Amino acid sequence: MTESYPELLWQLADLATRIAHARAEAEAWHAERCAAAHAAVAEAEAAIRAAQAEVDAARAELDAVDREAADLWEELVELLGPAASRHGGLPLPSPDPEAAGTDPQPWLASTRNLLDRVRKLAPLPRSVYPVLVLFGVLGAGIAVGLATAARAIGARYGGDLAIGLPVVALVITLLGPFTGLAPAKALADRQHAALDLRTAAVVIGAGLATTAVAAGLWR
């Protein structure tokens, strides 16, 4: 049965309404997806900017810590001299971050405090110089005695001992003037003082004089 013209118009209008409704739903869904995508992109960009800011801050802090550590190491080398410089430069960071901790500031503060304490150490007073001279004389005297004993043993038993022990005696004799530094350093530590070049020179000078006198007697 053929539909009438009004019925066809009504069906066409209903179809157009459903198409418009479907198009509106599709456009709304598309707009919603685009808005969600733009929001996700903006959120990702914000996260990237925040992460980059953290990286820049961490790099700046690392550079500052490295500079301060280098400055502290230079001060330590100036205070301790070859005793510190022989280690070959600034120590490397700990290979175990968990054991060393993630905050370098306590370590830097501890190092600064230690350097301050070292700077405040006064040299040994001149009143103990006679004791330092005694340390140098005794150290060198003991070394001379050991060297003399070594030569006597070598001369008595001969053979390889006659060849090796004089060499040992020579080494002991050369080290003798410096043996007094050990008790001198212990004395300085006990008095919370520094064993500087001047006080060390007193000990070594007394040791060298003792060794020279002994060498003259051997002749």
Side-chain angles (χ1 to χ4, degrees), residues 30-124:
H30 180 265
E32 181 181 354
R33 293 299 92 193
C34 288
H38 287 309
V41 170
E43 183 178 357
E45 290 177 347
I48 291 173
R49 288 192 295 271
Q52 185 62 48
E54 292 181 0
V55 170
D56 294 339
R59 183 178 291 111
E61 182 179 3
L62 176 61
D63 292 340
V65 169
D66 286 343
R67 286 193 300 271
E68 185 169 2
D71 293 340
L72 292 175
W73 179 256
E74 289 182 1
E75 293 182 29
L76 180 64
V77 172
E78 290 179 1
L79 290 172
L80 301 183
S85 60
R86 72 165 60 105
H87 292 286
L90 183 66
L92 296 175
S94 171
D96 187 0
E98 294 183 359
T102 57
D103 187 3
Q105 295 306 322
W107 293 98
L108 294 175
S110 176
T111 304
R112 286 192 294 269
N113 292 335
L114 179 60
L115 288 174
D116 290 339
R117 289 172 56 191
V118 173
R119 291 191 200 97
K120 293 176 181 178
L121 290 177
L124 284 168

Side-chain angles (χ1 to χ4, degrees), residues 2-212:
T2 304
E3 296 180 349
S4 64
Y5 181 72
E7 291 177 343
L8 291 175
L9 289 178
W10 181 86
Q11 292 177 0
L12 182 61
D14 180 64
L15 180 61
T17 301
R18 284 186 289 171
I19 291 174
H21 181 69
R23 181 181 291 111
E25 288 183 347
E27 291 176 350
W29 178 87
H30 180 265
E32 181 181 354
R33 293 299 92 193
C34 288
H38 287 309
V41 170
E43 183 178 357
E45 290 177 347
I48 291 173
R49 288 192 295 271
Q52 185 62 48
E54 292 181 0
V55 170
D56 294 339
R59 183 178 291 111
E61 182 179 3
L62 176 61
D63 292 340
V65 169
D66 286 343
R67 286 193 300 271
E68 185 169 2
D71 293 340
L72 292 175
W73 179 256
E74 289 182 1
E75 293 182 29
L76 180 64
V77 172
E78 290 179 1
L79 290 172
L80 301 183
S85 60
R86 72 165 60 105
H87 292 286
L90 183 66
L92 296 175
S94 171
D96 187 0
E98 294 183 359
T102 57
D103 187 3
Q105 295 306 322
W107 293 98
L108 294 175
S110 176
T111 304
R112 286 192 294 269
N113 292 335
L114 179 60
L115 288 174
D116 290 339
R117 289 172 56 191
V118 173
R119 291 191 200 97
K120 293 176 181 178
L121 290 177
L124 284 168
R126 293 181 180 273
S127 59
V128 302
Y129 279 17
V131 179
L132 299 178
V133 171
L134 180 62
F135 287 156
V137 172
L138 290 178
I142 293 173
V144 169
L146 292 176
T148 302
R151 288 190 181 91
I153 293 173
R156 179 176 180 179
Y157 292 100
D160 293 338
L161 292 178
I163 298 175
L165 286 180
V167 177
V168 175
L170 177 60
V171 173
I172 294 174
T173 302
L174 293 176
L175 295 178
F178 301 93
T179 56
L181 292 175
K185 182 62 170 62
L187 177 63
D189 292 341
R190 179 172 297 182
Q191 296 191 4
H192 302 287
L195 186 66
D196 58 4
L197 292 177
R198 179 179 298 177
T199 50
V202 172
V203 179
I204 297 174
L208 289 173
T210 303
T211 304

